[in-house]
Amino acid sequence: MQGMMIARAKELLQDGTVNRVLGWQAGEFAYDITPAVFETAEELDAGFVYNAFCGNNLSKYLIKETKKDGKVLVFLKPCDTYSFNQLLTEHRFDREKVYAIGIPCEGKTSGEMLKAKGVSGITGIDEDGDSITVHTVYGDQGFNRSDVLEERCLTCKSKKHVAYDELIGEDGEVLDSHRFDMVAKLEAMTPDERFAFWRSQLSKCIRCNACRNVCPACSCEKCVFDNPESGIAQKAAADSFEENMFQIIRAFHVAGRCTDCGECSRA
Amino acid sequence: MLEVANIREQCSWIHKDKATATEKAIILGRAAIAKVQLNAPLTAGESPVVKRALVIGGGIAGIQTALDIAEAGFDVDIVEKQPTIGGKMAQIDKTFPTLDCAACILTPKMVECSQNEKVHIYAYSEVEEVKGFVGNFTVKIKKKARYVDENKCTGCGDCTTKCPMKNVPNEFNLGLDTRRAVYIPFAQAVPKVATIDPNYCNMLKNGKCGLCAKVCGAGAIDYKQKDQYIEEQYGAIVVATGYNPIKLDKFEEFGYSLSKDVVTSLELERLMNAAGPTGGTLLRPSDGKHPHTIVFVQCVGSRDTSGCGKPYCSKICCMYTAKHAMLIREKYPDTEVYVFYIDVRTPGKNFDEFYRRAVEQYGVHYIKGMVGKVAPRANGKIMVQASDLLMDEQLHIEADLVVLAAAIEPDKSARPLATMLTASMDTNDFFTEAHPKLRPVESPTAGIFLSGVCQGPKDIPETVSQASAAAAKVIGLLVKDKLTTNPCVAHCNELMCNGCSSCERVCPYGAITYSDKEFRMPDRTTQLRRVASVNPAVCQGCGACTVACPSGAMDLNGFSNSQIMAEVDAICQK
C-alpha cells in the first residue's frame, strides 16, 4: 500500500496536479508517526510511510495547507473523510485546492497498545490482513490485529469513504459498529451513578489540551480556552471540578460537529 | 448606563410566598448590578431608504394599498400572478351590505391603477426572490411569457374570437363555461391585453395553427416570447396575496363532486352575474332550468376541527349567504330559499340589519342545524337531509340547487412567499401581524406589511381599511431618508471568526453574510479569510448567532456573552 501511495503521489507531483503531499512520516521512533508535508519525489522516498501506526487524521491539517499557494494531495482513511466533509461544510478550507485520495484502513494500532503487550524496541511494523508483524531490535513478533487495535478502531463506524477524488484499493461499507452501546449503558444508569461515572472519567484529565489540538472540529481561529475574555480561558483551576469543566465545555462546543473520528481518544 | 431589575412583573406579581419572592428579588437585583458593571454605550446605526414600494397581489387589497401609496407621491409596483389585476372582487356579483355591483366599484379603481403614473403593474408575474432588509429590498420578479407583446396589444379581442381551441375551462367563471386558448379574462381586465395559454395553444404545443398571429392587426402575437426577469429595489413590501375557497373533495356528504347542481358560493356569484356564463339569469348548471328550491349550507369546512376543513371562522360567509338568499328572493320570488347555519355572525356596520332584512322582509328560511347528507337523485332533484336543532326534528328537502359556503384559505403562493420574506405565518398559513391589537398591519419582519385576507379572513370594507392602513405605514416608512437601526444588534469579532457559517444558518432574519477579507498575520504576511458580518439594519438582536458561534466571535450589544455570564455568576453566588 505504501509503495502504491508513493508512486501515485510522485505521478501527481510530476504532472503538476498537486504541489505538495500531506502524509505521514516516522518521528523519533518507528511507532511515533507524525503528519508531514512532502514537496519532492526524493522527500517522499526518504520519509513517507503508511502502516498500521498511521492513525493521525490528516484532514485538520488541510486548513493550514490550503492557505498556501497551489494544490495539496491528502490521503484520507474512511473515518477521516467524515471530518473532511464537516470541515468543508464549515468552509474551513478550499475544496479546489485539495486533491483527496481515499485509502483503505483495517484498523490502527499504536506504540502504547504494543508496549502494553510487552513489546519493546519497536523498529517497524507490517500488516497482512488480520495478522500484524512487529519488528523489534529483539526480533519479530506476530499479533492478531484485533488484539492490538486502538480503542476507537474497535467500534469502527465505517470502511466507506464519503469524500475523495480517487481511491486506492476497494471502498468498504458502513459498519454496524455498536458504538452506541456505551451510550445505552450510560442511559441505564441512575443520575448518581452517571455523575460518579463522569467524575471518575473526567478526573483523568490533566488539561494538557492535546485532545483539542488534534480534534478536527476544534479548529477555531482563537479557541475559547485561549481567550481571556471568554471567562473560561486556561488558568490554574480553583478546584478539581473546574478542571472537569474543560471537558464538558469542549463536549458542548463540538456537539453536532464531532464526526467520531476518535482522534481525542488517541491523543 | 441603565439596567432594570424587573421585580414587579417577574417577581412580586407572580409569586405568592413573600419570603422566597423577596429572596428572588434580591437575586434579580444582584444580577442586574453584575450586568450594569459591564455595560457599554449603545449607539444606533443608520440605513438609507429606497423610495419605492412593492405590493404583492393585485386584488382589492393590493389595489387600494398601491393607490394610497401613489397618492402620497411614491412609486409603487403591483405584482399580480394572474393576467389581470382585480382578484376575487372582480368575480363577485354584488357586495354586502349595500348590494352595489362589485365590478362597478372595483373596475374604476383598476383603471386608476393603470392610469396613475406612480403605479406600475406587473401582471402575469410572480416574485421569485427577495433579498435585503427594511428600506432596501432587492426583489427579482418573473414576468411570465404571455406570448403577446403587452405594448403592441390593443385589447381588441380579435384573436380571442378566432382561436380554434374553444374548450378551455374558463377559470374566471370557475370552469362553468369555456374560453379560447388565447384570452382576455374579462371585459374590464387591466392591463387589457390578451394572453396565450401555453397548456392549450396548438401553436405553442405542436407548432401548428398560428391563426391569432394572422388576425392580429397590431402584430402583437409573439410565440417566441420568453419569461423575463426584472430586478428592482424597494423600501417596503406589502403582502396582499388574498385567498381561495377550499377544495371540497374531502366533504363527500355534500356531494359537490357528484352533481353539477351542488355549487360553491363563488360559483353562484358567477351564475348570478350579468357577465357570467348564464348572462345573469340564475339557471341550474346541469340542465339550464330555473331552480325553485335552493338550499344554502353555511360553515362548509369552516370552524371544523375534524381535520377535513379549517378550524377558524371564514367570517364572510354569513353575510354573503344572506346576500345571495336576499337577491334570489328579490329576483325570483317563487323560489324557496333555505339557509342552514351553526349560528349567524353579523358583526359590522349595518350587517345585522341586513341579515334581519333577509329573514323578515324577504322570507328566507333560516334553520339552525347542519346538513347531514346531500344526495343527487336520478330525476335531477337533490335530496337534502338535515336536522333542525330548534324544532328538534329531521328535515328532508327536495332541492334544485345546493350552495355550499366553502371556507376560505390563504392563497397557496403565500407560504413560499413568507419564506422568501422571512415573514412569519400561523398554522393556517395566514401571515402573522406584529401585534394582534396594536400593530395589525405590520409583519414582525421589518419593512413587510400586510393587507387583506392574507392576514386573516375579512370582508371588503375591512380589507379596504386594512389596505389603507398598510399604505399609511408604508408611507410613514418611505418619507424617512434614513432609518435608525436597533442598537442592540449582534456584531462579529473578525479576528476570531472561523467563517464556519453556523451563525448564518441559525439567523432567522438573514442578517448575516460572509465575505473574504484580507488579514495581516503576526508574521507580516496577509491572509484571505472568510468572515461573517452582521447587517445592523436587519438584525433583530435575538442572539441566536451568539450561542451558535463555536469560537465566541459573535456577540450581542447590550447583552454580551460576558454580561450574561456575569448575571449567571451573580445568580448562583451564595
Side-chain angles (χ1 to χ4, degrees), chain A residues 67 89-92 219-222 224 227 253 257, chain B residues 495-501 505 527 529-530 550-551:
Chain A
K67 293 270 191 287
T89 55
E90 293 179 11
H91 308 276
R92 298 301 278 133
S219 60
C220 284
E221 294 292 329
K222 190 171 185 93
V224 288
N227 178 5
H253 272 224
R257 301 159 60 233
Chain B
L495 292 173
M496 296 206 301
C497 176
N498 301 330
C500 72
S501 281
R505 280 192 283 264
Q527 203 175 71
R529 278 197 9 234
R530 184 175 192 273
S551 64

PDB file of all heavy atoms in Angstrom, chain A residues 67 89-92 219-222 224 227 253 257, chain B residues 495-501 505 527 529-530 550-551:
ATOM      1  N   LYS A  67      -4.029  27.240   2.802  1.00  0.00           N
ATOM      2  CA  LYS A  67      -3.760  28.687   2.838  1.00  0.00           C
ATOM      3  C   LYS A  67      -2.560  29.028   1.953  1.00  0.00           C
ATOM      4  O   LYS A  67      -2.370  30.153   1.544  1.00  0.00           O
ATOM      5  CB  LYS A  67      -3.475  29.150   4.276  1.00  0.00           C
ATOM      6  CG  LYS A  67      -4.672  29.058   5.212  1.00  0.00           C
ATOM      7  CD  LYS A  67      -5.479  30.337   5.216  1.00  0.00           C
ATOM      8  CE  LYS A  67      -6.509  30.355   6.331  1.00  0.00           C
ATOM      9  NZ  LYS A  67      -7.649  29.465   6.103  1.00  0.00           N
ATOM     10  N   THR A  89     -18.109  21.733   5.107  1.00  0.00           N
ATOM     11  CA  THR A  89     -19.378  22.444   5.316  1.00  0.00           C
ATOM     12  C   THR A  89     -19.155  23.698   6.151  1.00  0.00           C
ATOM     13  O   THR A  89     -19.924  24.638   6.060  1.00  0.00           O
ATOM     14  CB  THR A  89     -20.447  21.586   6.015  1.00  0.00           C
ATOM     15  OG1 THR A  89     -19.884  21.104   7.228  1.00  0.00           O
ATOM     16  CG2 THR A  89     -20.911  20.425   5.192  1.00  0.00           C
ATOM     17  N   GLU A  90     -18.120  23.688   6.944  1.00  0.00           N
ATOM     18  CA  GLU A  90     -17.839  24.879   7.742  1.00  0.00           C
ATOM     19  C   GLU A  90     -16.903  25.837   7.006  1.00  0.00           C
ATOM     20  O   GLU A  90     -16.385  26.781   7.605  1.00  0.00           O
ATOM     21  CB  GLU A  90     -17.229  24.472   9.092  1.00  0.00           C
ATOM     22  CG  GLU A  90     -18.213  23.731   9.983  1.00  0.00           C
ATOM     23  CD  GLU A  90     -17.615  23.310  11.304  1.00  0.00           C
ATOM     24  OE1 GLU A  90     -16.508  23.766  11.634  1.00  0.00           O
ATOM     25  OE2 GLU A  90     -18.257  22.514  12.001  1.00  0.00           O
ATOM     26  N   HIS A  91     -16.670  25.594   5.753  1.00  0.00           N
ATOM     27  CA  HIS A  91     -15.837  26.463   4.900  1.00  0.00           C
ATOM     28  C   HIS A  91     -14.436  26.642   5.474  1.00  0.00           C
ATOM     29  O   HIS A  91     -13.854  27.711   5.386  1.00  0.00           O
ATOM     30  CB  HIS A  91     -16.482  27.847   4.734  1.00  0.00           C
ATOM     31  CG  HIS A  91     -17.900  27.787   4.282  1.00  0.00           C
ATOM     32  ND1 HIS A  91     -18.260  27.673   2.967  1.00  0.00           N
ATOM     33  CD2 HIS A  91     -19.064  27.803   4.976  1.00  0.00           C
ATOM     34  CE1 HIS A  91     -19.561  27.622   2.866  1.00  0.00           C
ATOM     35  NE2 HIS A  91     -20.079  27.699   4.062  1.00  0.00           N
ATOM     36  N   ARG A  92     -13.914  25.619   6.098  1.00  0.00           N
ATOM     37  CA  ARG A  92     -12.617  25.787   6.743  1.00  0.00           C
ATOM     38  C   ARG A  92     -11.459  25.651   5.757  1.00  0.00           C
ATOM     39  O   ARG A  92     -10.349  26.022   6.061  1.00  0.00           O
ATOM     40  CB  ARG A  92     -12.456  24.807   7.910  1.00  0.00           C
ATOM     41  CG  ARG A  92     -13.459  25.003   9.007  1.00  0.00           C
ATOM     42  CD  ARG A  92     -13.378  26.409   9.611  1.00  0.00           C
ATOM     43  NE  ARG A  92     -12.323  26.537  10.598  1.00  0.00           N
ATOM     44  CZ  ARG A  92     -11.466  27.542  10.626  1.00  0.00           C
ATOM     45  NH1 ARG A  92     -11.498  28.487   9.701  1.00  0.00           N
ATOM     46  NH2 ARG A  92     -10.559  27.610  11.556  1.00  0.00           N
ATOM     47  N   SER A 219     -11.149  23.756  15.456  1.00  0.00           N
ATOM     48  CA  SER A 219     -10.246  24.437  14.534  1.00  0.00           C
ATOM     49  C   SER A 219     -10.477  25.937  14.565  1.00  0.00           C
ATOM     50  O   SER A 219     -10.220  26.630  13.602  1.00  0.00           O
ATOM     51  CB  SER A 219     -10.443  23.891  13.125  1.00  0.00           C
ATOM     52  OG  SER A 219     -11.771  24.099  12.728  1.00  0.00           O
ATOM     53  N   CYS A 220     -11.001  26.431  15.679  1.00  0.00           N
ATOM     54  CA  CYS A 220     -11.299  27.860  15.770  1.00  0.00           C
ATOM     55  C   CYS A 220     -10.028  28.679  15.604  1.00  0.00           C
ATOM     56  O   CYS A 220      -8.952  28.285  16.045  1.00  0.00           O
ATOM     57  CB  CYS A 220     -11.922  28.207  17.115  1.00  0.00           C
ATOM     58  SG  CYS A 220     -13.634  27.705  17.223  1.00  0.00           S
ATOM     59  N   GLU A 221     -10.205  29.844  14.981  1.00  0.00           N
ATOM     60  CA  GLU A 221      -9.087  30.776  14.840  1.00  0.00           C
ATOM     61  C   GLU A 221      -8.521  31.114  16.215  1.00  0.00           C
ATOM     62  O   GLU A 221      -7.319  31.217  16.396  1.00  0.00           O
ATOM     63  CB  GLU A 221      -9.562  32.064  14.156  1.00  0.00           C
ATOM     64  CG  GLU A 221      -9.991  31.881  12.715  1.00  0.00           C
ATOM     65  CD  GLU A 221      -8.843  31.543  11.793  1.00  0.00           C
ATOM     66  OE1 GLU A 221      -7.720  31.996  12.065  1.00  0.00           O
ATOM     67  OE2 GLU A 221      -9.075  30.801  10.809  1.00  0.00           O
ATOM     68  N   LYS A 222      -9.439  31.333  17.148  1.00  0.00           N
ATOM     69  CA  LYS A 222      -8.993  31.564  18.505  1.00  0.00           C
ATOM     70  C   LYS A 222      -9.892  30.744  19.424  1.00  0.00           C
ATOM     71  O   LYS A 222     -11.104  30.991  19.502  1.00  0.00           O
ATOM     72  CB  LYS A 222      -9.091  33.043  18.858  1.00  0.00           C
ATOM     73  CG  LYS A 222      -8.415  33.364  20.176  1.00  0.00           C
ATOM     74  CD  LYS A 222      -8.334  34.867  20.382  1.00  0.00           C
ATOM     75  CE  LYS A 222      -7.564  35.189  21.628  1.00  0.00           C
ATOM     76  NZ  LYS A 222      -6.145  35.414  21.410  1.00  0.00           N
ATOM     77  N   VAL A 224     -11.744  29.300  22.645  1.00  0.00           N
ATOM     78  CA  VAL A 224     -12.262  29.984  23.837  1.00  0.00           C
ATOM     79  C   VAL A 224     -11.350  29.751  25.042  1.00  0.00           C
ATOM     80  O   VAL A 224     -11.280  30.584  25.936  1.00  0.00           O
ATOM     81  CB  VAL A 224     -13.695  29.532  24.208  1.00  0.00           C
ATOM     82  CG1 VAL A 224     -14.693  30.072  23.220  1.00  0.00           C
ATOM     83  CG2 VAL A 224     -13.800  28.030  24.321  1.00  0.00           C
ATOM     84  N   ASN A 227      -8.756  32.399  25.118  1.00  0.00           N
ATOM     85  CA  ASN A 227      -9.261  33.764  25.040  1.00  0.00           C
ATOM     86  C   ASN A 227      -9.630  34.259  26.446  1.00  0.00           C
ATOM     87  O   ASN A 227     -10.644  33.838  26.996  1.00  0.00           O
ATOM     88  CB  ASN A 227     -10.487  33.769  24.114  1.00  0.00           C
ATOM     89  CG  ASN A 227     -11.107  35.139  24.003  1.00  0.00           C
ATOM     90  OD1 ASN A 227     -10.567  36.118  24.543  1.00  0.00           O
ATOM     91  ND2 ASN A 227     -12.227  35.217  23.317  1.00  0.00           N
ATOM     92  N   HIS A 253     -18.992  22.324  22.741  1.00  0.00           N
ATOM     93  CA  HIS A 253     -18.509  23.053  21.569  1.00  0.00           C
ATOM     94  C   HIS A 253     -18.455  22.188  20.327  1.00  0.00           C
ATOM     95  O   HIS A 253     -18.633  22.687  19.227  1.00  0.00           O
ATOM     96  CB  HIS A 253     -17.130  23.656  21.854  1.00  0.00           C
ATOM     97  CG  HIS A 253     -17.227  25.010  22.464  1.00  0.00           C
ATOM     98  ND1 HIS A 253     -16.447  26.059  22.066  1.00  0.00           N
ATOM     99  CD2 HIS A 253     -18.036  25.480  23.429  1.00  0.00           C
ATOM    100  CE1 HIS A 253     -16.778  27.119  22.776  1.00  0.00           C
ATOM    101  NE2 HIS A 253     -17.727  26.794  23.609  1.00  0.00           N
ATOM    102  N   ARG A 257     -20.927  18.658  15.646  1.00  0.00           N
ATOM    103  CA  ARG A 257     -19.887  18.815  14.637  1.00  0.00           C
ATOM    104  C   ARG A 257     -18.865  17.686  14.722  1.00  0.00           C
ATOM    105  O   ARG A 257     -18.085  17.479  13.808  1.00  0.00           O
ATOM    106  CB  ARG A 257     -19.195  20.169  14.816  1.00  0.00           C
ATOM    107  CG  ARG A 257     -20.177  21.331  14.689  1.00  0.00           C
ATOM    108  CD  ARG A 257     -19.666  22.595  15.355  1.00  0.00           C
ATOM    109  NE  ARG A 257     -18.424  22.997  14.752  1.00  0.00           N
ATOM    110  CZ  ARG A 257     -17.295  23.240  15.422  1.00  0.00           C
ATOM    111  NH1 ARG A 257     -17.283  23.124  16.731  1.00  0.00           N
ATOM    112  NH2 ARG A 257     -16.219  23.605  14.814  1.00  0.00           N
TER     113      ARG A 257
ATOM    114  N   LEU B 495     -11.482  38.834  14.019  1.00  0.00           N
ATOM    115  CA  LEU B 495     -10.220  38.147  14.319  1.00  0.00           C
ATOM    116  C   LEU B 495     -10.467  36.740  14.853  1.00  0.00           C
ATOM    117  O   LEU B 495      -9.619  35.871  14.756  1.00  0.00           O
ATOM    118  CB  LEU B 495      -9.407  38.953  15.327  1.00  0.00           C
ATOM    119  CG  LEU B 495      -8.868  40.287  14.796  1.00  0.00           C
ATOM    120  CD1 LEU B 495      -8.229  41.081  15.901  1.00  0.00           C
ATOM    121  CD2 LEU B 495      -7.879  40.036  13.668  1.00  0.00           C
ATOM    122  N   MET B 496     -11.655  36.545  15.432  1.00  0.00           N
ATOM    123  CA  MET B 496     -11.947  35.223  15.995  1.00  0.00           C
ATOM    124  C   MET B 496     -12.840  34.390  15.087  1.00  0.00           C
ATOM    125  O   MET B 496     -13.033  33.207  15.322  1.00  0.00           O
ATOM    126  CB  MET B 496     -12.628  35.388  17.353  1.00  0.00           C
ATOM    127  CG  MET B 496     -11.726  36.050  18.377  1.00  0.00           C
ATOM    128  SD  MET B 496     -12.147  35.619  20.043  1.00  0.00           S
ATOM    129  CE  MET B 496     -13.808  36.170  20.161  1.00  0.00           C
ATOM    130  N   CYS B 497     -13.422  35.011  14.072  1.00  0.00           N
ATOM    131  CA  CYS B 497     -14.403  34.307  13.232  1.00  0.00           C
ATOM    132  C   CYS B 497     -13.711  33.233  12.399  1.00  0.00           C
ATOM    133  O   CYS B 497     -12.682  33.468  11.776  1.00  0.00           O
ATOM    134  CB  CYS B 497     -15.104  35.303  12.321  1.00  0.00           C
ATOM    135  SG  CYS B 497     -16.230  34.522  11.174  1.00  0.00           S
ATOM    136  N   ASN B 498     -14.326  32.022  12.403  1.00  0.00           N
ATOM    137  CA  ASN B 498     -13.776  30.913  11.621  1.00  0.00           C
ATOM    138  C   ASN B 498     -14.351  30.869  10.211  1.00  0.00           C
ATOM    139  O   ASN B 498     -13.902  30.108   9.384  1.00  0.00           O
ATOM    140  CB  ASN B 498     -14.127  29.574  12.279  1.00  0.00           C
ATOM    141  CG  ASN B 498     -13.607  29.473  13.669  1.00  0.00           C
ATOM    142  OD1 ASN B 498     -12.590  30.053  13.991  1.00  0.00           O
ATOM    143  ND2 ASN B 498     -14.316  28.748  14.508  1.00  0.00           N
ATOM    144  N   GLY B 499     -15.432  31.596   9.987  1.00  0.00           N
ATOM    145  CA  GLY B 499     -16.104  31.511   8.684  1.00  0.00           C
ATOM    146  C   GLY B 499     -16.905  30.246   8.519  1.00  0.00           C
ATOM    147  O   GLY B 499     -17.140  29.791   7.411  1.00  0.00           O
ATOM    148  N   CYS B 500     -17.371  29.643   9.624  1.00  0.00           N
ATOM    149  CA  CYS B 500     -17.998  28.315   9.544  1.00  0.00           C
ATOM    150  C   CYS B 500     -19.460  28.345   9.121  1.00  0.00           C
ATOM    151  O   CYS B 500     -20.046  27.308   8.849  1.00  0.00           O
ATOM    152  CB  CYS B 500     -17.859  27.578  10.868  1.00  0.00           C
ATOM    153  SG  CYS B 500     -18.903  28.237  12.177  1.00  0.00           S
ATOM    154  N   SER B 501     -20.094  29.529   9.109  1.00  0.00           N
ATOM    155  CA  SER B 501     -21.499  29.655   8.693  1.00  0.00           C
ATOM    156  C   SER B 501     -22.516  29.188   9.720  1.00  0.00           C
ATOM    157  O   SER B 501     -23.704  29.174   9.422  1.00  0.00           O
ATOM    158  CB  SER B 501     -21.788  28.914   7.371  1.00  0.00           C
ATOM    159  OG  SER B 501     -21.344  29.690   6.299  1.00  0.00           O
ATOM    160  N   ARG B 505     -26.598  30.090   9.423  1.00  0.00           N
ATOM    161  CA  ARG B 505     -27.645  29.075   9.348  1.00  0.00           C
ATOM    162  C   ARG B 505     -28.717  29.260  10.408  1.00  0.00           C
ATOM    163  O   ARG B 505     -29.874  28.923  10.186  1.00  0.00           O
ATOM    164  CB  ARG B 505     -27.032  27.673   9.462  1.00  0.00           C
ATOM    165  CG  ARG B 505     -26.436  27.184   8.144  1.00  0.00           C
ATOM    166  CD  ARG B 505     -26.119  25.697   8.220  1.00  0.00           C
ATOM    167  NE  ARG B 505     -24.898  25.467   8.983  1.00  0.00           N
ATOM    168  CZ  ARG B 505     -23.704  25.312   8.434  1.00  0.00           C
ATOM    169  NH1 ARG B 505     -23.575  25.332   7.138  1.00  0.00           N
ATOM    170  NH2 ARG B 505     -22.647  25.121   9.182  1.00  0.00           N
ATOM    171  N   GLN B 527      -3.414  37.280   4.847  1.00  0.00           N
ATOM    172  CA  GLN B 527      -4.135  36.036   4.618  1.00  0.00           C
ATOM    173  C   GLN B 527      -5.583  36.380   4.300  1.00  0.00           C
ATOM    174  O   GLN B 527      -6.162  37.271   4.923  1.00  0.00           O
ATOM    175  CB  GLN B 527      -4.069  35.201   5.886  1.00  0.00           C
ATOM    176  CG  GLN B 527      -4.261  33.733   5.621  1.00  0.00           C
ATOM    177  CD  GLN B 527      -4.061  32.936   6.880  1.00  0.00           C
ATOM    178  OE1 GLN B 527      -4.896  32.996   7.782  1.00  0.00           O
ATOM    179  NE2 GLN B 527      -2.975  32.193   6.971  1.00  0.00           N
ATOM    180  N   ARG B 529      -9.313  35.510   4.590  1.00  0.00           N
ATOM    181  CA  ARG B 529     -10.148  34.652   5.421  1.00  0.00           C
ATOM    182  C   ARG B 529     -11.606  34.974   5.225  1.00  0.00           C
ATOM    183  O   ARG B 529     -11.987  36.116   5.014  1.00  0.00           O
ATOM    184  CB  ARG B 529      -9.762  34.820   6.894  1.00  0.00           C
ATOM    185  CG  ARG B 529      -8.559  33.985   7.258  1.00  0.00           C
ATOM    186  CD  ARG B 529      -8.384  33.800   8.752  1.00  0.00           C
ATOM    187  NE  ARG B 529      -9.477  34.275   9.543  1.00  0.00           N
ATOM    188  CZ  ARG B 529      -9.338  35.142  10.546  1.00  0.00           C
ATOM    189  NH1 ARG B 529      -8.158  35.616  10.842  1.00  0.00           N
ATOM    190  NH2 ARG B 529     -10.386  35.519  11.252  1.00  0.00           N
ATOM    191  N   ARG B 530     -12.430  33.913   5.323  1.00  0.00           N
ATOM    192  CA  ARG B 530     -13.867  34.074   5.194  1.00  0.00           C
ATOM    193  C   ARG B 530     -14.402  34.474   6.560  1.00  0.00           C
ATOM    194  O   ARG B 530     -14.248  33.710   7.522  1.00  0.00           O
ATOM    195  CB  ARG B 530     -14.433  32.720   4.759  1.00  0.00           C
ATOM    196  CG  ARG B 530     -15.894  32.691   4.484  1.00  0.00           C
ATOM    197  CD  ARG B 530     -16.267  31.307   3.953  1.00  0.00           C
ATOM    198  NE  ARG B 530     -17.622  31.339   3.425  1.00  0.00           N
ATOM    199  CZ  ARG B 530     -18.685  31.127   4.178  1.00  0.00           C
ATOM    200  NH1 ARG B 530     -18.554  30.870   5.443  1.00  0.00           N
ATOM    201  NH2 ARG B 530     -19.894  31.171   3.626  1.00  0.00           N
ATOM    202  N   PRO B 550     -19.059  28.815  17.517  1.00  0.00           N
ATOM    203  CA  PRO B 550     -18.190  27.952  18.324  1.00  0.00           C
ATOM    204  C   PRO B 550     -17.036  28.712  18.980  1.00  0.00           C
ATOM    205  O   PRO B 550     -16.580  28.337  20.052  1.00  0.00           O
ATOM    206  CB  PRO B 550     -17.662  26.921  17.336  1.00  0.00           C
ATOM    207  CG  PRO B 550     -17.971  27.408  15.985  1.00  0.00           C
ATOM    208  CD  PRO B 550     -18.979  28.501  16.082  1.00  0.00           C
ATOM    209  N   SER B 551     -16.584  29.801  18.374  1.00  0.00           N
ATOM    210  CA  SER B 551     -15.396  30.463  18.914  1.00  0.00           C
ATOM    211  C   SER B 551     -15.745  31.676  19.766  1.00  0.00           C
ATOM    212  O   SER B 551     -14.857  32.302  20.322  1.00  0.00           O
ATOM    213  CB  SER B 551     -14.483  30.889  17.776  1.00  0.00           C
ATOM    214  OG  SER B 551     -15.132  31.854  16.989  1.00  0.00           O
TER     215      SER B 551
END
